[in-house]
Amino acid sequence: MADPMRIRAQASGDKATVRVLMSHEMETGQRKDSAGKVIPAWFIQEVTAQHNGKPVMTAQWGPAVAKNPYLQFIVKGAKVGDKITLSWVDNKGDKRSDEATVA
Amino acid sequence: MRTQQLLIAAAAGALLAGCTAPLPKPDYDAMTDAMMKASFTDRGIAKVERLRQDRSNDECSKAAGAPLPEALAKSIEAENLKTVKMPSDGRFIGDWKEGEKLAQNGRGMTWTDTSTSNNGGNCYNCHQISKAEISFGTIGPSLYQYGKIRGVADPASAASKPIVEYTWAKLYNAKAYNACSGMPRFGHAGMLDETQLKHLMALLLDPKSPVNQ
Amino acid sequence: MHTRRDMLSQSAKVATMLAAAGFLPSLAQAQSDGYNKAAFDAKTINDAVKAMGAQAPSESKDVTITGPDIAENGAVVPVGASTTVPGVKRLLLLVEKNPSALTAVFDVTDAIEANVSTRVKMGQSSDVYAVALTNDGKALFAKKEIKVTLGGCGG
Amino acid sequence: MKPLVIAVALSACAIVATAQNAAQKSTADGIAEYRRMLEEGNPAELFEAKGEALWSKKRGPKNASLEQCDLGKGAGTVAGTFVELPRWFADTNQVQDLESRLLSCMENLQGISAAEVAKTPFGRGEQANMEALVAYISAASRGMKFNLPQDHPEEKKMLELGKRAFFYRAGPYDFACASCHAADGQRIRLQDLPDLTKNPGDGVGFAAWPAYRVSSGELWSMQRRLNDCFRQQRFPFPGYASEVTVSLGVYMGVNAKGAESIAPSIKR
C-alpha cells in the first residue's frame, strides 16, 4: 500500500493555501533498467480535493509530473478547523486518501 | 621490535597503576592505511588496488593541503615530467568538435561504468571552456580563450611550439608542473588516449575552436 | 517585441499542442469525463495541425506561468499556472519539448482560485506553457522558457 | 528558521557571482530561485513520517520496536542525538554514526541481521527503511547546532583517521575528498562545493545531510552521500558503515561544530 500523503492547509483571511506531498514513483514508462528492459509506466492519473466533503478540484496527470509529487492550490472560504481531503488513483488502480485540518 | 613491545607493556602497566605516563604517540598514518584496506572492496572495474599510492599521491596526501617543501615538489615534478610521451606522429591538434564532446563528458572509471575505455575528459566539471556552456566548475582556472590569450594563431608554427608542447604535457601529466595539482594525469594514467588528447588540444588551441572566439 | 508573424506561429504551436491534447472545443466534445488518455499520449505538434480550426489560442497577459529561469535538475521543475480571466474551466501545464507535451490538467471550480502549482519533469530546456480554457471555449496561454542545466559531476 | 537559511544560500551565490561576469550572475540567481522554489515542499517529509512510524513499530525476528535504541542520550531519546553523532558507544566499544548505530539497534533489539542490511543496495528493502529512519531521527534535531563529543580516546583517534582519509589521494584520477571540498567558493559544474575542512556555515555541507535528492527522488543518508562521493572519486566500494565512512563523519562533524542542522534538506 502507498505511503501517506503530507497535507498542510494554512488559513489566511477568507481562504486557505493547501500544500500536498504524495509518495509515488511517477515512472514515465520511457526509462530502461540496467538490463535494458523498459520500466513500465506507473503514475498518479487523477487527483481530487474536497473541502468539508465537497469536491473543489480534480486534476488529471501524465507521467511527466515529478516523482513524489507536490501540489499547491488555494481553497476559497476555508476556515481554521475545516477538513481538506485529498485522494489519488494511479494507472494501476492503486489509491490513497488522506485528510488534514486547516490550521 | 622487542624494546617497543616492552615499552608498550610498561606504559600499559603504568596506566593500570593509575599513573599518567604518556603512551607512545600512535602511528595514525599506519592506522589510516589499515583502515583504508579494511573499509573498501572491489566493485565492478573499481578494484582495491586503486588505493595504492605512488610517491606523488602519498606525499600530497600527507601534506594535507599544505605546500610541499620546495625540493620535494621539484623532484616529484621532475619524476612526472619524465612520464610524458609526445604524440607518436608529431601531430598535436585533432578535432575541436570531438574535444568539446570529451570536455562535456564526465563519465568513466567509476564502479558503475563497465569499460575502462571511453572515458570522458571531465573538463567542464572544473573549468570554464567555451562561452556557450554556462554549467562549468571553478575548481580549475578558466580556459576560455586559452589559445588566443597565449597568441596561438597557428598551432603548427614554430612560434607556438613551446605553448603547444606545454599544453600537451599538462594534459598528459598535470603533476609535471605542479606536484599536488588537483588535475588527473590523463595520459600517464591511461584515462585518455593519444587521439582523445589531440581533440582536447584542438579545443584549447585551434583558432577555429569556440574557445578562441 | 513579438512580431505579428511570431505571435501567429506561437498560437499555431499552442493550438497544435492543444488539439493534439484533445482540448480544443472541436475535439473536446468527443472526450468523456474520465482520464483523457489521448491527450496525455499526444506526442507531436503536427499530430493535430488539421484540427487547428475555429478558435486559435492566443497569448494573454491575464494568464501567468511561474517557474525558475534555470532548473538545476530536469527531474523536478517547479511550475505554476494562474489566471485572472473570469469563467475559467481548466488550467493546463504543457512542456513543449517533452515526448508528450501535456503534463497536467486541473479542473477549476468556483471553490478554488485559478492558481495551481506542481512540479514537472523536463527532458531538456524548453518553453513551458500555462493554458487557461474558459467556459465559452477560449484558450489563452502564457509561456516561459526554462533552461535545464547539468549540475554536479555529471558521472 | 528557513528564510534565514535561504538568505545565507542566496548571499553565498551572490559572492560566487561577483567573481563571474554578468551572465554568470543571472545563472547564479536562477539557480538560487530554483532552490528556493524547491524548499516550499520538501518530499523528505514523506520519509520523516514513514521513519517515525517505523521507529515505534514492532518488527524483525524479535518482534520489537526501536524505542529502546540508545542513540547517545539514553534509550528512547531521539531529539538532539543527531547533532552529536558520530560518537563512542560503551556497549559496542565503537565510534558509530547514525546509520551504524541503527544497524546495532536493529540487530540487538529486533534481531535483524546488520550484515544483511549493510549488503542491501540503497533504496531497497531494509535500506529503504533505514533512509526513512535517518530522516525521522535527523529531523528531530533540526535547528540544533552540531556538537560532537571528543572526550573518549576512540573519538579523538577517529578524528585523526578521518582527517587522513579526507586528504587520501588515490585512484586513476588522483582524487581525494579534499580535491573538491578543501577551499571556499568553488563549484563543480554549477554545484557549490562546501569547504569541509572547517565549519562551512549553518545548513551547509555536513549540516545539510541526510537530504532528499531530487535527481534520484530518494532520501540519501550520509552513508549514501559518502558512497556516491567515493564512486565519483573513482575509488573502490566503501563498505556500508565501514570505519572510513564513520571516521569521515567524525572529521566533518567536528569541523562543523556550531553549525545549525537543517537535515533532512533538499538537494539537486
Side-chain angles (χ1 to χ4, degrees):
Chain A
M1 197 175 96
D3 288 328
M5 285 179 249
R6 298 286 278 177
I7 306 169
R8 280 217 179 88
Q10 187 77 43
S12 165
D14 59 351
K15 57 195 176 188
T17 301
V18 182
R19 294 184 176 87
V20 189
L21 284 162
M22 308 172 198
S23 185
H24 204 283
E25 284 299 315
M26 299 303 286
E27 191 61 57
T28 60
Q30 306 200 352
R31 297 196 311 157
K32 288 178 180 165
D33 63 17
S34 51
K37 229 181 98 196
V38 173
I39 306 169
W42 181 31
F43 58 96
I44 293 174
Q45 279 190 324
E46 290 194 23
V47 180
T48 55
Q50 295 183 325
H51 172 209
N52 288 338
K54 183 187 125 216
V56 291
M57 191 204 63
T58 308
Q60 295 178 40
W61 287 355
V65 170
K67 180 172 177 178
N68 293 325
Y70 173 77
L71 170 65
Q72 184 183 318
F73 59 97
I74 298 158
V75 180
K76 294 179 194 168
K79 304 178 299 293
V80 173
D82 285 3
K83 299 284 181 213
I84 299 288
T85 312
L86 267 290
S87 311
W88 57 252
V89 184
D90 70 20
N91 66 324
K92 293 182 181 174
D94 198 3
K95 292 171 194 201
R96 177 85 214 180
S97 193
D98 292 280
E99 189 179 79
T101 306
V102 178
Chain B
M1 195 61 171
R2 180 156 292 177
T3 39
Q4 210 173 16
Q5 278 172 352
L6 281 172
L7 273 174
I8 290 165
L15 201 72
L16 282 174
C19 179
T20 54
L23 286 161
K25 195 172 168 7
D27 185 349
Y28 290 123
D29 289 340
M31 287 160 91
T32 301
D33 287 342
M35 173 179 80
M36 297 301 279
K37 277 202 187 75
S39 293
F40 289 90
T41 53
D42 290 352
R43 172 72 54 111
I45 62 169
K47 311 288 187 201
V48 288
E49 288 103 76
R50 290 187 180 188
L51 295 174
R52 201 181 300 137
Q53 297 173 308
D54 69 355
R55 196 163 77 100
S56 311
N57 280 337
D58 184 37
E59 294 291 353
C60 295
S61 299
K62 285 187 183 135
L68 295 181
E70 203 180 318
L72 177 61
K74 288 273 173 261
S75 101
I76 288 175
E77 287 162 13
E79 216 171 273
N80 279 290
L81 188 60
K82 272 189 227 152
T83 70
V84 176
K85 290 190 189 74
M86 289 293 155
S88 48
D89 60 359
R91 291 170 198 266
F92 287 90
I93 306 295
D95 178 354
W96 67 260
K97 290 193 192 80
E98 292 300 317
E100 169 70 14
K101 282 185 211 159
L102 282 167
Q104 288 283 359
N105 185 347
R107 294 186 184 276
M109 297 307 288
T110 72
W111 66 66
T112 48
D113 292 299
T114 47
S115 153
T116 52
S117 57
N118 299 325
N119 301 316
N122 295 264
C123 311
Y124 279 106
N125 283 351
C126 299
H127 298 280
Q128 181 180 31
I129 310 176
S130 77
K131 200 78 182 168
E133 180 52 84
I134 57 164
S135 179
F136 59 83
T138 60
I139 299 168
S142 172
L143 302 175
Y144 178 60
Q145 298 195 325
Y146 179 89
K148 194 175 183 178
I149 287 166
R150 289 162 181 79
V152 179
D154 173 11
S157 68
S160 300
K161 200 173 178 236
I163 194 66
V164 167
E165 288 187 354
Y166 161 79
T167 307
W168 178 271
K170 181 81 188 174
L171 288 170
Y172 197 96
N173 188 336
K175 273 76 172 176
Y177 300 105
N178 175 1
C180 295
S181 166
M183 182 164 148
R185 295 175 279 190
F186 290 105
H188 176 59
M191 295 301 102
L192 297 175
D193 64 24
E194 208 177 271
T195 310
Q196 292 172 313
L197 289 172
K198 287 179 184 182
H199 294 328
L200 289 178
M201 290 286 287
L203 182 66
L204 293 175
L205 292 164
D206 189 334
K208 292 191 292 293
S209 159
V211 170
N212 295 315
Q213 303 313 310
Chain C
M1 276 308 287
H2 291 299
T3 63
R4 184 176 153 75
R5 199 165 144 187
D6 281 345
M7 286 299 291
L8 282 175
S9 73
Q10 275 168 20
S11 294
K13 261 198 272 187
V14 177
T16 312
M17 284 194 286
L18 287 177
F23 283 102
L24 276 188
S26 56
L27 285 183
Q29 289 161 355
Q31 302 296 337
S32 73
D33 283 350
Y35 186 71
N36 192 337
K37 189 167 184 300
F40 286 99
D41 283 348
K43 302 242 178 306
T44 66
I45 290 169
N46 289 343
D47 271 359
V49 169
K50 281 181 288 180
M52 280 174 55
Q55 233 170 343
S58 53
E59 194 156 6
S60 168
K61 285 197 169 59
D62 299 326
V63 179
T64 307
I65 172 107
T66 54
D69 295 340
I70 300 174
E72 238 180 323
N73 197 306
V76 179
V77 184
V79 290
S82 62
T83 182
T84 53
V85 174
V88 165
K89 190 169 64 177
R90 282 173 167 160
L91 284 170
L92 278 52
L93 284 166
L94 302 99
V95 180
E96 190 184 1
K97 290 191 183 165
N98 272 3
S100 305
L102 183 62
T103 304
V105 179
F106 300 89
D107 289 354
V108 177
T109 66
D110 289 342
I112 69 163
E113 295 192 352
N115 181 351
V116 294
S117 304
T118 185
R119 292 165 180 179
V120 303
K121 297 174 196 144
M122 292 177 65
Q124 56 182 310
S125 299
S126 171
D127 279 338
V128 180
Y129 288 78
V131 179
L133 301 185
T134 63
N135 286 321
D136 58 358
K138 281 204 208 82
L140 304 166
F141 76 87
K143 66 164 186 163
K144 175 185 176 64
E145 189 196 6
I146 298 179
K147 284 203 194 84
V148 175
T149 62
L150 182 66
C153 327
Chain D
M1 280 313 174
K2 243 177 192 170
L4 190 78
V5 172
I6 293 162
V8 170
L10 280 172
S11 62
C13 287
I15 291 162
V16 171
T18 50
Q20 308 291 332
N21 57 29
Q24 274 304 306
K25 187 170 179 185
S26 70
T27 303
D29 287 349
I31 297 284
E33 181 191 20
Y34 172 77
R35 290 177 189 162
R36 200 168 55 241
M37 286 176 163
L38 285 188
E39 288 189 24
E40 281 169 19
N42 182 352
E45 276 185 35
L46 298 165
F47 294 81
E48 289 171 34
K50 187 180 168 192
E52 186 172 10
L54 273 170
W55 179 256
S56 50
K57 190 177 173 187
K58 288 183 175 152
R59 298 193 323 122
K62 294 187 182 172
N63 193 35
S65 78
L66 287 167
E67 287 163 313
Q68 288 306 304
C69 181
D70 180 1
L71 295 170
K73 288 185 173 295
T77 301
V78 177
T81 55
F82 177 68
V83 287
E84 295 181 10
L85 289 169
R87 73 187 305 155
W88 178 79
F89 288 88
D91 59 347
T92 55
N93 191 25
Q94 272 180 356
V95 176
Q96 297 185 293
D97 66 356
L98 175 55
E99 293 90 312
S100 62
R101 187 61 190 166
L102 279 170
L103 285 182
S104 298
C105 287
M106 287 163 90
E107 181 152 289
N108 297 334
L109 298 171
Q110 300 181 307
I112 295 169
S113 160
E116 283 302 314
V117 179
K119 271 197 301 196
T120 306
F122 291 112
R124 311 252 179 88
E126 283 299 333
Q127 280 286 351
N129 291 335
M130 184 67 94
E131 286 162 0
L133 286 165
V134 299
Y136 162 60
I137 293 162
S138 62
S141 293
R142 193 183 271 131
M144 299 182 193
K145 291 179 190 310
F146 275 94
N147 187 22
L148 269 61
Q150 272 286 295
D151 306 318
H152 195 276
E154 282 297 311
E155 290 168 344
K156 291 177 181 153
K157 181 187 106 180
M158 287 296 257
L159 177 67
E160 290 295 329
L161 299 193
K163 182 181 178 188
R164 283 162 179 77
F166 189 85
F167 285 97
Y168 194 97
R169 282 179 176 230
Y173 288 4
D174 306 330
F175 286 158
C177 306
S179 302
C180 288
H181 293 291
D184 265 329
Q186 291 188 330
R187 304 188 324 225
I188 188 158
R189 288 279 184 167
L190 284 175
Q191 196 70 25
D192 297 323
L193 297 164
D195 180 352
L196 301 175
T197 65
K198 61 184 182 68
N199 176 359
D202 290 345
V204 180
F206 194 73
W209 295 89
Y212 181 78
R213 274 300 295 266
V214 163
S215 50
S216 66
E218 291 170 309
L219 194 114
W220 283 27
S221 63
M222 180 48 74
Q223 280 291 327
R224 187 165 182 183
R225 171 64 281 180
L226 287 174
N227 182 278
D228 200 57
C229 279
F230 277 125
R231 187 181 70 84
Q232 301 275 12
Q233 221 172 296
R234 277 75 178 180
F235 268 42
F237 194 85
Y240 189 84
S242 58
E243 200 181 359
V244 70
T245 59
V246 176
S247 73
L248 284 167
V250 173
Y251 177 66
M252 292 186 289
V254 169
N255 290 347
K257 187 183 172 76
E260 186 185 306
S261 173
I262 60 162
S265 71
I266 183 163
K267 294 275 185 185
R268 175 197 71 79

